[in-house]
């Protein structure tokens, strides 16, 4: 599977929702729904676990990705991901990096090759 970097630097191809959708795997959807329901104290159903990835042109995105402020900003600025943004790394990203330091590593890697 090719690497897909989300606008924020997370790797979509490592996300359970993306994997389940890509493989049309209902068992994986159920497992991800159960795991995320426990992790995020929210009742996710297997049918909620569908996503073609943050940067895809599909409307099939996980519910959080649809309202993600970082994704929205990147789309408005028409950048492939935040590594391409003149304002990198902004306050929104710094907040995410506290929870997901691998996202910073991914964006830094991309930015260093620009």
């Amino acid at each position: 599977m090719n690497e897909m970097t989300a606008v924020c630097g997370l790797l979509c191809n490592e996300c359970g929702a993306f994997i389940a959708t890509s493989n049309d795997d209902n068992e994986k959807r159920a497992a991800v729904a159960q795991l995320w329901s426990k992790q995020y104290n929210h009742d996710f159903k297997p049918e909620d676990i569908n996503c073609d990835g943050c940067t895809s042109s599909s409307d099939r995105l996980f519910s959080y990705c649809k309202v993600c402020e970082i994704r929205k900003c990147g789309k408005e600025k028409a950048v492939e991901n935040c590594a391409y943004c003149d304002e990198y790394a902004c306050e929104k990203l710094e907040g995410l990096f506290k929870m997901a330091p691998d996202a910073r590593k991914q964006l830094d890697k991309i930015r260093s090759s620009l």
Side-chain angles (χ1 to χ4, degrees):
M1 181 182 305
N2 289 335
E3 187 173 272
M4 179 188 285
T5 303
V7 173
C8 67
L10 294 174
L11 293 175
C12 292
N13 51 292
E14 293 180 359
C15 171
F18 181 82
I19 294 167
T21 304
S22 297
N23 296 323
D24 195 20
D25 185 340
N26 288 329
E27 286 182 27
K28 179 73 173 174
R29 284 186 182 97
V32 171
Q34 183 178 27
L35 174 67
W36 289 359
S37 291
K38 288 179 184 173
Q39 280 183 331
Y40 303 112
N41 196 29
H42 183 83
D43 185 25
F44 291 110
K45 305 285 185 227
E47 55 270 20
D48 298 328
I49 308 300
N50 282 295
C51 191
D52 291 316
C54 175
T55 61
S56 77
S57 57
S58 169
D59 288 333
R60 193 166 54 171
L61 293 171
F62 183 66
S63 59
Y64 179 78
C65 301
K66 289 179 184 178
V67 298
C68 173
E69 288 297 318
I70 295 171
R71 181 179 180 274
K72 179 181 172 186
C73 179
K75 293 290 184 184
E76 287 171 356
K77 291 181 178 183
V79 293
E80 185 175 334
N81 58 55
C82 293
Y84 294 85
C85 182
D86 292 336
E87 297 175 39
Y88 180 79
C90 69
E91 191 174 311
K92 288 178 190 173
L93 274 178
E94 291 296 346
L96 172 74
F97 293 160
K98 289 176 185 171
M99 297 180 296
D102 286 344
R104 178 189 293 276
K105 290 176 189 170
Q106 180 68 7
L107 292 175
D108 285 347
K109 181 175 100 176
I110 292 167
R111 196 160 173 89
S112 71
S113 69
L114 298 180

